Amino acid sequence: MKDVAKRAGVSQPTVSFVLNDRRDVSVAEETRARVLEAAAELNFRPNRAAQSLRSNRPYTIGVITDQIVSQPYAGQILLGIQQAVQPSGYVCYVVERAGTAETRDDAVSNLLAQGVAGVIYASHGANPIRASRGARDTRSVYVNCWPHVDGEQACVVLADEYAGGALAATAAFEAGHRDVVFLGGFRDDYACHERERGFVDAATRAGLDPNKLRRVYGGYQIGSGYQLALAILRESAPTALVCGNDRMAVGALLAVHSLGLECPRDVSIIGYDDQPDIADQVHPALTTVRLPHLEMGALAGRLMLADGDPDPGRHLVDCELVVRNSLAAPRAGA
């Protein structure tokens, strides 16, 4: 640190303030940049272990995940967390909640023994999860999940699934479609319920009676989308399908092709998720709603590092409509 101070032409306390990101101490931005440049040139890094011992302040965040490590798409949540906490000198320890309840608790106990500053629970799908035993009194944030106990106060980060469902439906209605079918996932699933609420309200705003628009439910896989769409298309001729996710949309696209129809000429299809290597790779590429996994993780990280206890309640992150080629106006006479 003395070498950095000498090269930057500042005092040693100034180096400490800059490298510890002490924003409560006034340091000119030009001076801050000079210190960081000198530290980089000397390959100097603060010893976080020593700092933790001295200040009794851990520089690690525990991330307890539910099937995220095996889901590269939802893994963007982990990347967002890391990007949010890393500039402040924190690192993440990730523990997957695999196996039995006993092995999960053992893994979390080992994590807490490292002296983490807090715990972020993260799930690949929006659903309630059980807080691990021994971590209930630890500073916590939930991202894409929430405590399974009703009424428990917690800081929760979720995608705004309701607004996302409305975006998908509104895109179809604004393109001129009136015979639109909602192909939902599991009926009791949180995301399906919220997206359907958005669909219903968008229909009402478009001057349609949502009770006259068909809504069917299945799973979130390609096969489910295929079977649901095939049955709907054989029964009648809707001009647009709003699907529970991109996998179901791919299944619907296969059903359209199997019946000798074309998308979007005969049937427009809208997905949900903007799943990499799926939504933009099929033909035609899917118009879809992007789940903001990266932004959700980043917000969870910022809430974890905020002064005081993380704000309780649900913090919603906006979804985004991604327009591609699977949506067009209904053909004349349809």
Side-chain angles (χ1 to χ4, degrees):
M1 191 174 290
K2 290 179 181 179
D3 293 338
V4 173
K6 182 177 180 180
R7 175 165 292 203
V10 299
S11 67
Q12 190 171 326
T14 298
V15 172
S16 177
F17 295 150
V18 171
L19 296 184
N20 287 292
D21 200 28
R22 287 281 302 279
R23 296 292 175 169
D24 59 319
V25 179
S26 179
V27 178
E29 286 304 315
E30 186 274 334
T31 302
R32 186 179 298 274
R34 201 162 69 245
V35 169
L36 292 174
E37 182 180 358
E41 290 172 353
L42 294 173
N43 197 30
F44 174 78
R45 295 182 180 86
N47 187 321
R48 291 301 185 195
Q51 289 178 334
S52 295
L53 289 172
R54 186 169 60 249
S55 65
N56 196 30
R57 175 187 178 188
Y59 282 89
T60 54
I61 303 294
V63 184
I64 303 173
T65 74
D66 183 12
Q67 301 181 44
I68 282 187
V69 293
S70 60
Q71 301 282 336
Y73 170 46
Q76 289 287 304
I77 292 175
L78 296 181
L79 179 59
I81 295 171
Q82 179 178 302
Q83 290 178 346
V85 304
Q86 188 171 320
S88 296
Y90 287 80
V91 295
C92 296
Y93 288 162
V94 180
V95 172
E96 172 63 35
R97 290 165 53 94
T100 66
E102 182 178 357
T103 58
R104 287 199 299 268
D105 285 337
D106 286 345
V108 173
S109 294
N110 291 336
L111 173 67
L112 296 176
Q114 306 300 317
V116 296
V119 169
I120 297 177
Y121 292 91
S123 175
H124 78 289
N127 54 65
I129 66 170
R130 186 181 299 274
S132 296
R133 187 175 56 209
R136 292 189 177 93
D137 295 328
T138 303
R139 180 183 180 91
S140 300
V141 174
Y142 293 76
V143 55
N144 213 33
C145 56
W146 57 91
H148 83 290
V149 179
D150 290 339
E152 181 175 336
Q153 288 292 307
C155 178
V156 176
V157 177
L158 296 170
D160 193 340
E161 302 281 11
Y162 165 79
L167 278 175
T170 299
F173 298 137
E174 289 186 346
H177 295 276
R178 291 298 177 264
D179 189 356
V180 180
V181 178
F182 176 82
L183 267 61
F186 301 113
R187 191 165 193 168
D188 59 351
D189 176 69
Y190 166 82
C192 178
H193 179 264
E194 291 299 294
R195 294 169 192 178
E196 183 179 5
R197 283 205 312 120
F199 177 90
V200 167
D201 286 354
T204 301
R205 288 193 292 270
L208 302 173
D209 182 354
N211 294 318
K212 294 182 179 179
L213 298 178
R214 286 166 293 173
R215 287 170 267 166
V216 295
Y217 311 90
Y220 285 113
Q221 299 302 318
I222 291 174
S224 177
Y226 177 82
Q227 294 296 337
L228 290 176
L230 197 63
I232 287 290
L233 293 168
R234 283 174 172 168
E235 177 185 326
S236 63
T239 62
L241 302 173
V242 174
C243 300
N245 68 352
D246 292 337
R247 290 181 178 275
M248 294 186 76
V250 170
L253 184 60
L254 294 173
V256 167
H257 290 164
S258 72
L259 294 174
L261 303 173
E262 292 186 18
C263 173
R265 187 195 67 183
D266 301 303
V267 183
S268 286
I269 296 176
I270 299 175
Y272 203 107
D273 288 350
D274 195 27
Q275 187 165 348
D277 298 326
I278 291 183
D280 61 343
Q281 296 298 313
V282 296
H283 180 75
L286 289 175
T287 289
T288 187
V289 173
R290 185 180 71 86
L291 271 178
H293 281 149
L294 184 70
E295 294 87 343
M296 291 161 63
L299 177 56
R302 293 195 298 272
L303 289 167
M304 173 56 67
L305 298 187
D307 293 334
D309 292 332
D311 291 337
R314 294 195 170 187
H315 303 259
L316 300 180
V317 181
D318 291 337
C319 299
E320 174 190 2
L321 180 70
V322 181
V323 178
R324 297 194 181 97
N325 301 324
S326 66
L327 173 65
R331 70 178 189 278

